Amino acid sequence: MAFIPLAKSYGQYKCLGSEFDCELGPLFREEDFKAIYDAFKKKFPKADHYPYGFVIGSYSKSSDDGEPGSSAGRPLASLLEERKIDGYLIVARYFGGTKLGIPRLRRSILESAEAAIKEAKLGEEAGAFQYEMELEYSQYETLKHFAPRYGYELKETDFGIKVKTKLLTSVKLTEVFPKIGLDETLLQEEKIIHIIKEVKHDSR
């Protein structure tokens, strides 16, 4: 199971006058990358090169964008694969006047990427059950009371003559309802959905 960035994060590294600014972010479709890449270049308009790497499942793509061959893009994609992250890394490289050589250049690019990963909030995709139901107010109060114990969430609740609500849970509520005194026939619709939950990760 891959980790997924929950938002963009940034890292920076400097070496012998050159500066490397890196952005890590989520990516679910390759066709979305061009807009992300163009927006990044506008954010760092005076950089000399913009190497990138991205991973979506088993598919990866990279570009050195003018840096020496395989010194930038492929290492970025490989870092994502190593950390099991589905997303992209783009680096804005500002040349400081001193040539770094390929080993030091690669290391500098990866240091900026490591810094972005260290600052990232990452999530994992997980399966969940979503239920829709209509309840009497007393039944809804019972449901709300036991939510902390059984770990389900009440979503999109509408208070009318009766209470209409959706529940999100990692366990089947047909197993929970008899324990809290509610009839499982109240569960009108069950869907299996996928959600992304934040997880702790080892940035190194």
Side-chain angles (χ1 to χ4, degrees):
M1 185 71 71
F3 295 110
I4 300 169
L6 300 180
K8 295 177 182 178
S9 61
Y10 296 89
Q12 186 182 81
Y13 187 74
K14 295 181 180 181
C15 180
L16 299 179
S18 288
E19 182 176 315
F20 303 83
D21 293 291
C22 182
E23 178 179 288
L24 167 70
L27 183 67
F28 301 99
R29 304 185 308 165
E30 182 179 2
E31 53 264 40
D32 295 333
F33 182 71
K34 185 179 184 304
I36 293 170
Y37 190 61
D38 290 345
F40 179 83
K41 289 196 289 185
K42 288 180 180 178
K43 190 178 298 182
F44 299 94
K46 296 183 179 180
D48 297 286
H49 301 282
Y50 302 91
Y52 69 81
F54 66 74
V55 174
I56 305 171
S58 60
Y59 176 70
S60 66
K61 188 174 180 180
S62 61
S63 170
D64 295 314
D65 191 43
E67 296 286 19
S70 301
S71 66
R74 186 59 242 170
L76 290 171
S78 295
L79 180 61
L80 291 170
E81 291 168 341
E82 177 188 326
R83 300 301 172 84
K84 296 183 170 63
I85 297 173
D86 271 16
Y88 67 85
L89 287 165
I90 311 173
V91 174
R93 191 269 176 107
Y94 297 86
F95 181 57
T98 302
K99 291 185 178 181
L100 303 182
I102 290 178
R104 186 176 285 164
L105 173 63
R106 183 187 297 114
R107 186 167 62 250
S108 298
I109 286 170
L110 290 177
E111 285 287 349
S112 70
E114 293 275 13
I117 292 173
K118 186 175 181 180
E119 293 301 313
K121 290 185 177 180
L122 299 179
E124 279 186 315
E125 191 174 26
F129 298 99
Q130 180 177 282
Y131 294 90
E132 295 183 14
M133 65 192 70
E134 189 174 76
L135 306 161
E136 301 292 344
Y137 275 77
S138 59
Q139 294 170 324
Y140 172 75
E141 290 301 322
T142 297
L143 196 62
K144 188 168 70 170
H145 174 75
F146 284 102
R149 180 183 299 183
Y150 291 101
Y152 52 78
E153 296 179 61
L154 301 169
K155 301 281 189 179
E156 299 178 33
T157 303
D158 179 35
F159 298 97
I161 296 175
K162 289 188 174 183
V163 181
K164 293 182 180 179
T165 190
K166 291 182 180 180
L167 278 84
L168 192 65
T169 175
S170 59
V171 298
K172 280 182 170 286
L173 287 185
T174 50
E175 300 171 4
V176 172
F177 267 36
K179 298 177 183 178
I180 63 177
L182 292 177
D183 191 334
E184 62 186 70
T185 59
L186 291 167
L187 302 169
Q188 297 173 352
E189 184 178 357
E190 175 186 294
K191 295 180 181 178
I192 298 176
I193 63 172
H194 291 277
I195 57 175
I196 298 174
K197 288 190 172 182
E198 184 175 351
V199 295
K200 293 183 179 179
H201 66 98
D202 182 2
S203 62
R204 287 288 178 182

Short mmCIF file of all heavy atoms in Angstrom, two decimals, residues 19-57:
data_model
loop_
_atom_site.label_atom_id
_atom_site.label_comp_id
_atom_site.label_asym_id
_atom_site.label_seq_id
_atom_site.Cartn_x
_atom_site.Cartn_y
_atom_site.Cartn_z
N GLU A 19 21.14 26.61 -5.28
CA GLU A 19 19.98 26.42 -4.40
C GLU A 19 19.01 25.46 -5.06
O GLU A 19 18.79 25.50 -6.27
CB GLU A 19 19.30 27.75 -4.13
CG GLU A 19 18.10 27.66 -3.18
CD GLU A 19 17.50 29.02 -2.87
OE1 GLU A 19 18.29 29.95 -2.58
OE2 GLU A 19 16.27 29.14 -2.93
N PHE A 20 18.42 24.61 -4.24
CA PHE A 20 17.48 23.59 -4.72
C PHE A 20 16.20 23.68 -3.90
O PHE A 20 16.22 23.47 -2.68
CB PHE A 20 18.09 22.19 -4.58
CG PHE A 20 19.41 22.03 -5.29
CD1 PHE A 20 20.60 22.44 -4.69
CD2 PHE A 20 19.46 21.50 -6.56
CE1 PHE A 20 21.81 22.31 -5.34
CE2 PHE A 20 20.68 21.36 -7.23
CZ PHE A 20 21.86 21.76 -6.62
N ASP A 21 15.10 24.04 -4.56
CA ASP A 21 13.80 24.13 -3.90
C ASP A 21 12.90 23.02 -4.43
O ASP A 21 12.67 22.94 -5.65
CB ASP A 21 13.16 25.49 -4.17
CG ASP A 21 13.93 26.62 -3.50
OD1 ASP A 21 13.90 26.69 -2.27
OD2 ASP A 21 14.57 27.41 -4.22
N CYS A 22 12.39 22.19 -3.55
CA CYS A 22 11.64 21.00 -3.96
C CYS A 22 10.20 21.06 -3.47
O CYS A 22 9.93 21.53 -2.35
CB CYS A 22 12.31 19.74 -3.41
SG CYS A 22 11.49 18.21 -3.91
N GLU A 23 9.30 20.59 -4.30
CA GLU A 23 7.88 20.47 -3.94
C GLU A 23 7.47 19.01 -4.07
O GLU A 23 7.71 18.36 -5.08
CB GLU A 23 7.03 21.34 -4.86
CG GLU A 23 5.52 21.23 -4.59
CD GLU A 23 4.72 22.14 -5.51
OE1 GLU A 23 4.77 23.37 -5.30
OE2 GLU A 23 4.07 21.63 -6.45
N LEU A 24 6.82 18.50 -3.02
CA LEU A 24 6.20 17.17 -3.03
C LEU A 24 4.70 17.35 -2.99
O LEU A 24 4.19 18.19 -2.24
CB LEU A 24 6.65 16.38 -1.80
CG LEU A 24 5.87 15.09 -1.48
CD1 LEU A 24 6.15 14.01 -2.52
CD2 LEU A 24 6.20 14.59 -0.08
N GLY A 25 3.98 16.59 -3.80
CA GLY A 25 2.52 16.70 -3.79
C GLY A 25 1.86 15.44 -4.30
O GLY A 25 2.51 14.53 -4.84
N PRO A 26 0.54 15.35 -4.15
CA PRO A 26 -0.20 14.17 -4.61
C PRO A 26 -0.42 14.22 -6.12
O PRO A 26 -0.53 15.29 -6.71
CB PRO A 26 -1.54 14.29 -3.86
CG PRO A 26 -1.71 15.77 -3.66
CD PRO A 26 -0.33 16.32 -3.48
N LEU A 27 -0.50 13.06 -6.73
CA LEU A 27 -0.79 12.96 -8.16
C LEU A 27 -1.53 11.65 -8.40
O LEU A 27 -1.03 10.58 -8.07
CB LEU A 27 0.51 12.99 -8.98
CG LEU A 27 0.35 12.97 -10.50
CD1 LEU A 27 -0.32 14.25 -10.99
CD2 LEU A 27 1.70 12.79 -11.19
N PHE A 28 -2.72 11.75 -8.97
CA PHE A 28 -3.54 10.57 -9.21
C PHE A 28 -3.66 10.22 -10.69
O PHE A 28 -3.94 9.09 -11.05
CB PHE A 28 -4.94 10.77 -8.62
CG PHE A 28 -4.92 11.03 -7.13
CD1 PHE A 28 -5.01 12.32 -6.62
CD2 PHE A 28 -4.78 9.98 -6.24
CE1 PHE A 28 -4.97 12.56 -5.26
CE2 PHE A 28 -4.75 10.20 -4.87
CZ PHE A 28 -4.85 11.50 -4.38
N ARG A 29 -3.45 11.21 -11.57
CA ARG A 29 -3.54 10.98 -13.01
C ARG A 29 -2.39 11.71 -13.70
O ARG A 29 -2.10 12.86 -13.39
CB ARG A 29 -4.87 11.50 -13.57
CG ARG A 29 -6.13 10.93 -12.91
CD ARG A 29 -7.38 11.44 -13.63
NE ARG A 29 -7.36 12.90 -13.76
CZ ARG A 29 -8.15 13.57 -14.59
NH1 ARG A 29 -8.99 12.92 -15.38
NH2 ARG A 29 -8.09 14.90 -14.65
N GLU A 30 -1.75 11.03 -14.64
CA GLU A 30 -0.62 11.64 -15.34
C GLU A 30 -1.03 12.92 -16.06
O GLU A 30 -0.26 13.90 -16.11
CB GLU A 30 -0.03 10.66 -16.35
CG GLU A 30 1.18 11.22 -17.08
CD GLU A 30 1.81 10.26 -18.07
OE1 GLU A 30 1.28 9.14 -18.21
OE2 GLU A 30 2.83 10.62 -18.69
N GLU A 31 -2.25 12.95 -16.61
CA GLU A 31 -2.67 14.13 -17.37
C GLU A 31 -2.80 15.39 -16.50
O GLU A 31 -2.87 16.51 -17.02
CB GLU A 31 -3.99 13.86 -18.11
CG GLU A 31 -5.12 13.34 -17.24
CD GLU A 31 -5.24 11.83 -17.29
OE1 GLU A 31 -4.18 11.14 -17.29
OE2 GLU A 31 -6.38 11.33 -17.31
N ASP A 32 -2.81 15.23 -15.19
CA ASP A 32 -2.88 16.40 -14.29
C ASP A 32 -1.50 17.02 -14.06
O ASP A 32 -1.41 18.13 -13.52
CB ASP A 32 -3.49 16.00 -12.94
CG ASP A 32 -4.93 15.55 -13.06
OD1 ASP A 32 -5.60 16.00 -14.00
OD2 ASP A 32 -5.37 14.75 -12.21
N PHE A 33 -0.44 16.31 -14.44
CA PHE A 33 0.90 16.77 -14.05
C PHE A 33 1.32 18.04 -14.75
O PHE A 33 1.99 18.89 -14.15
CB PHE A 33 1.93 15.67 -14.28
CG PHE A 33 3.31 16.07 -13.84
CD1 PHE A 33 3.61 16.18 -12.49
CD2 PHE A 33 4.29 16.38 -14.77
CE1 PHE A 33 4.88 16.59 -12.08
CE2 PHE A 33 5.55 16.79 -14.37
CZ PHE A 33 5.85 16.88 -13.01
N LYS A 34 0.97 18.21 -16.01
CA LYS A 34 1.42 19.39 -16.75
C LYS A 34 1.01 20.68 -16.06
O LYS A 34 1.81 21.62 -15.94
CB LYS A 34 0.89 19.38 -18.18
CG LYS A 34 1.43 20.53 -19.04
CD LYS A 34 0.90 20.50 -20.45
CE LYS A 34 1.54 21.61 -21.31
NZ LYS A 34 1.36 22.95 -20.75
N ALA A 35 -0.24 20.76 -15.60
CA ALA A 35 -0.71 21.96 -14.91
C ALA A 35 0.06 22.18 -13.61
O ALA A 35 0.40 23.31 -13.24
CB ALA A 35 -2.20 21.86 -14.64
N ILE A 36 0.36 21.09 -12.89
CA ILE A 36 1.13 21.18 -11.66
C ILE A 36 2.54 21.67 -11.95
O ILE A 36 3.08 22.55 -11.26
CB ILE A 36 1.18 19.79 -10.97
CG1 ILE A 36 -0.21 19.40 -10.47
CG2 ILE A 36 2.18 19.79 -9.81
CD1 ILE A 36 -0.30 17.96 -10.01
N TYR A 37 3.14 21.13 -13.00
CA TYR A 37 4.51 21.49 -13.39
C TYR A 37 4.58 22.96 -13.82
O TYR A 37 5.49 23.70 -13.40
CB TYR A 37 4.95 20.57 -14.52
CG TYR A 37 6.41 20.65 -14.89
CD1 TYR A 37 7.40 20.33 -13.97
CD2 TYR A 37 6.79 20.99 -16.18
CE1 TYR A 37 8.74 20.37 -14.32
CE2 TYR A 37 8.12 21.03 -16.55
CZ TYR A 37 9.10 20.72 -15.62
OH TYR A 37 10.43 20.76 -15.97
N ASP A 38 3.62 23.39 -14.62
CA ASP A 38 3.60 24.79 -15.07
C ASP A 38 3.43 25.75 -13.89
O ASP A 38 4.06 26.81 -13.84
CB ASP A 38 2.47 25.00 -16.08
CG ASP A 38 2.76 24.32 -17.41
OD1 ASP A 38 3.91 23.94 -17.66
OD2 ASP A 38 1.81 24.15 -18.21
N ALA A 39 2.56 25.38 -12.94
CA ALA A 39 2.33 26.23 -11.76
C ALA A 39 3.60 26.32 -10.91
O ALA A 39 3.93 27.38 -10.36
CB ALA A 39 1.17 25.68 -10.93
N PHE A 40 4.33 25.20 -10.80
CA PHE A 40 5.58 25.20 -10.03
C PHE A 40 6.60 26.14 -10.67
O PHE A 40 7.28 26.91 -9.98
CB PHE A 40 6.13 23.78 -9.95
CG PHE A 40 7.42 23.68 -9.20
CD1 PHE A 40 7.43 23.59 -7.82
CD2 PHE A 40 8.64 23.66 -9.88
CE1 PHE A 40 8.64 23.49 -7.12
CE2 PHE A 40 9.84 23.57 -9.19
CZ PHE A 40 9.84 23.48 -7.81
N LYS A 41 6.73 26.09 -11.99
CA LYS A 41 7.70 26.95 -12.68
C LYS A 41 7.35 28.43 -12.52
O LYS A 41 8.24 29.28 -12.44
CB LYS A 41 7.78 26.57 -14.16
CG LYS A 41 8.48 25.23 -14.37
CD LYS A 41 8.91 25.00 -15.80
CE LYS A 41 7.75 24.76 -16.71
NZ LYS A 41 8.23 24.41 -18.09
N LYS A 42 6.04 28.73 -12.43
CA LYS A 42 5.65 30.12 -12.18
C LYS A 42 5.99 30.54 -10.75
O LYS A 42 6.27 31.71 -10.48
CB LYS A 42 4.15 30.28 -12.43
CG LYS A 42 3.76 30.23 -13.91
CD LYS A 42 2.27 30.40 -14.09
CE LYS A 42 1.88 30.34 -15.56
NZ LYS A 42 0.41 30.45 -15.76
N LYS A 43 5.97 29.59 -9.85
CA LYS A 43 6.29 29.88 -8.45
C LYS A 43 7.78 30.15 -8.27
O LYS A 43 8.20 30.93 -7.41
CB LYS A 43 5.86 28.69 -7.59
CG LYS A 43 5.90 28.95 -6.09
CD LYS A 43 5.39 27.73 -5.33
CE LYS A 43 3.95 27.40 -5.66
NZ LYS A 43 3.44 26.26 -4.88
N PHE A 44 8.61 29.49 -9.10
CA PHE A 44 10.06 29.67 -9.05
C PHE A 44 10.55 30.06 -10.45
O PHE A 44 11.22 29.28 -11.13
CB PHE A 44 10.74 28.37 -8.59
CG PHE A 44 10.32 27.92 -7.22
CD1 PHE A 44 9.30 27.00 -7.06
CD2 PHE A 44 10.94 28.42 -6.09
CE1 PHE A 44 8.91 26.56 -5.80
CE2 PHE A 44 10.56 28.00 -4.82
CZ PHE A 44 9.54 27.08 -4.68
N PRO A 45 10.23 31.28 -10.89
CA PRO A 45 10.40 31.63 -12.30
C PRO A 45 11.85 31.81 -12.77
O PRO A 45 12.12 31.76 -13.96
CB PRO A 45 9.64 32.96 -12.42
CG PRO A 45 9.68 33.54 -11.06
CD PRO A 45 9.61 32.38 -10.12
N LYS A 46 12.79 31.99 -11.85
CA LYS A 46 14.16 32.31 -12.27
C LYS A 46 15.11 31.12 -12.14
O LYS A 46 16.32 31.28 -12.27
CB LYS A 46 14.68 33.49 -11.46
CG LYS A 46 13.90 34.78 -11.72
CD LYS A 46 14.49 35.95 -10.96
CE LYS A 46 13.71 37.24 -11.25
NZ LYS A 46 14.27 38.39 -10.51
N ALA A 47 14.56 29.93 -11.88
CA ALA A 47 15.42 28.75 -11.75
C ALA A 47 16.01 28.38 -13.11
O ALA A 47 15.45 28.70 -14.16
CB ALA A 47 14.62 27.58 -11.18
N ASP A 48 17.15 27.69 -13.08
CA ASP A 48 17.82 27.28 -14.31
C ASP A 48 17.29 25.95 -14.85
O ASP A 48 17.27 25.72 -16.06
CB ASP A 48 19.33 27.16 -14.06
CG ASP A 48 19.94 28.51 -13.69
OD1 ASP A 48 20.10 29.35 -14.59
OD2 ASP A 48 20.23 28.71 -12.49
N HIS A 49 16.87 25.06 -13.95
CA HIS A 49 16.37 23.75 -14.36
C HIS A 49 15.23 23.34 -13.43
O HIS A 49 15.20 23.72 -12.26
CB HIS A 49 17.47 22.68 -14.31
CG HIS A 49 18.65 23.01 -15.17
ND1 HIS A 49 18.64 22.83 -16.53
CD2 HIS A 49 19.88 23.50 -14.86
CE1 HIS A 49 19.81 23.19 -17.03
NE2 HIS A 49 20.58 23.62 -16.04
N TYR A 50 14.32 22.49 -13.97
CA TYR A 50 13.18 22.00 -13.20
C TYR A 50 13.04 20.48 -13.37
O TYR A 50 12.09 19.98 -13.99
CB TYR A 50 11.89 22.68 -13.65
CG TYR A 50 11.88 24.19 -13.56
CD1 TYR A 50 12.28 24.97 -14.64
CD2 TYR A 50 11.46 24.83 -12.40
CE1 TYR A 50 12.28 26.36 -14.57
CE2 TYR A 50 11.45 26.22 -12.32
CZ TYR A 50 11.86 26.98 -13.41
OH TYR A 50 11.85 28.34 -13.34
N PRO A 51 13.96 19.71 -12.84
CA PRO A 51 13.83 18.25 -12.95
C PRO A 51 12.66 17.75 -12.10
O PRO A 51 12.28 18.38 -11.11
CB PRO A 51 15.17 17.73 -12.41
CG PRO A 51 15.64 18.81 -11.48
CD PRO A 51 15.18 20.10 -12.09
N TYR A 52 12.12 16.61 -12.50
CA TYR A 52 10.99 16.05 -11.74
C TYR A 52 10.98 14.53 -11.84
O TYR A 52 11.59 13.92 -12.73
CB TYR A 52 9.66 16.61 -12.25
CG TYR A 52 9.26 16.14 -13.63
CD1 TYR A 52 8.67 14.89 -13.84
CD2 TYR A 52 9.48 16.94 -14.75
CE1 TYR A 52 8.30 14.46 -15.11
CE2 TYR A 52 9.13 16.51 -16.03
CZ TYR A 52 8.53 15.27 -16.19
OH TYR A 52 8.18 14.84 -17.46
N GLY A 53 10.26 13.94 -10.94
CA GLY A 53 9.94 12.52 -11.00
C GLY A 53 8.57 12.32 -10.37
O GLY A 53 8.22 13.00 -9.41
N PHE A 54 7.77 11.42 -10.93
CA PHE A 54 6.50 11.10 -10.28
C PHE A 54 6.21 9.61 -10.38
O PHE A 54 6.72 8.91 -11.26
CB PHE A 54 5.34 11.95 -10.80
CG PHE A 54 4.94 11.72 -12.24
CD1 PHE A 54 4.25 10.59 -12.64
CD2 PHE A 54 5.21 12.68 -13.21
CE1 PHE A 54 3.85 10.39 -13.95
CE2 PHE A 54 4.83 12.50 -14.54
CZ PHE A 54 4.14 11.35 -14.91
N VAL A 55 5.40 9.14 -9.44
CA VAL A 55 5.01 7.74 -9.37
C VAL A 55 3.51 7.66 -9.15
O VAL A 55 2.96 8.33 -8.27
CB VAL A 55 5.75 7.02 -8.22
CG1 VAL A 55 5.23 5.59 -8.06
CG2 VAL A 55 7.25 7.01 -8.46
N ILE A 56 2.84 6.84 -9.97
CA ILE A 56 1.42 6.55 -9.80
C ILE A 56 1.27 5.04 -9.87
O ILE A 56 1.35 4.45 -10.96
CB ILE A 56 0.54 7.22 -10.88
CG1 ILE A 56 0.80 8.72 -10.93
CG2 ILE A 56 -0.93 6.95 -10.62
CD1 ILE A 56 0.13 9.41 -12.12
N GLY A 57 1.11 4.40 -8.74
CA GLY A 57 1.06 2.94 -8.73
C GLY A 57 2.38 2.35 -9.21
O GLY A 57 3.45 2.68 -8.69
#
